[in-house]
Structure formats: structure tokens, C-alpha cells
Amino acid sequence: MPRVAIEYCTQCRWLLRASWMAQELLSTFATELGEVALIPGTGGVFRITVDDDQVWERKADGGFPDIAVLKQRVRDRVAPDRDLGHADARD
């Protein structure tokens, strides 16, 4: 099963944000994910990967993801046919 990793900056105190996003992903993808890991880092890092495939990086993507966008990006990798309901912006 897929592994999501959320690397966050401890110096910036982003643990709460990272853990909230982990909770949201685990709630939404309860049967599709094998693990969501929180990885402490430094230097302003906030990176989210699915099986080592980067789905969000704070500096490259311009800040933090909206939770609906993050769920869509994770869904596209772990359950592409899944409908996310009101959080899904696909046509």
C-alpha cells in the first residue's frame, strides 16, 4: 500500500500543520494508504511525497497546499478513479 511522507520544518514549528494534514489524508484514504509518516526537518522544508513521488513542496508550489488540492494530488496517485465529493474540482 502507498506511503505518504510529510517532511516539515521543526524550526518553523510546522508540526501541527503537518499532523493535521496527515489526519485529513488518513481520514479520507483510510483503506488506500498503508502509512502516513511525519518527518522532522529544518530550513523551511515542507514536502509531501507519495511513495517518493513529490506531490507538494512549499517553495516550488508557493506556500502550503489547500487541503482539497492535496487530497486531489494524493488521490490521483493512490486511487485515480475515486470521487472526492464536494472536495473534488474535476469535471
Side-chain angles (χ1 to χ4, degrees):
M1 294 187 73
R3 177 184 191 264
V4 173
I6 303 174
E7 185 179 2
Y8 65 95
C9 180
T10 57
Q11 296 166 319
C12 303
R13 301 184 181 268
W14 288 337
L15 173 60
L16 186 59
R17 182 186 308 262
S19 61
W20 172 73
M21 289 185 182
Q23 177 184 333
E24 286 289 320
L25 292 175
L26 286 168
S27 295
T28 300
F29 302 103
T31 60
E32 290 94 356
L33 295 177
E35 175 183 10
V36 176
L38 297 176
I39 302 170
T42 59
V45 66
F46 197 87
R47 179 181 305 113
I48 302 171
T49 58
V50 177
D51 290 335
D52 297 321
D53 181 23
Q54 185 170 290
V55 295
W56 192 270
E57 200 280 321
R58 185 185 67 82
K59 292 176 185 174
D61 291 302
F64 297 99
D66 178 80
I67 197 64
V69 171
L70 177 58
K71 287 179 181 182
Q72 289 166 3
R73 290 186 182 189
V74 170
R75 181 271 319 272
D76 290 347
R77 284 158 178 83
V78 302
D81 296 328
R82 180 162 179 197
D83 181 14
L84 292 175
H86 71 280
D88 206 346
R90 292 190 313 174
D91 293 329

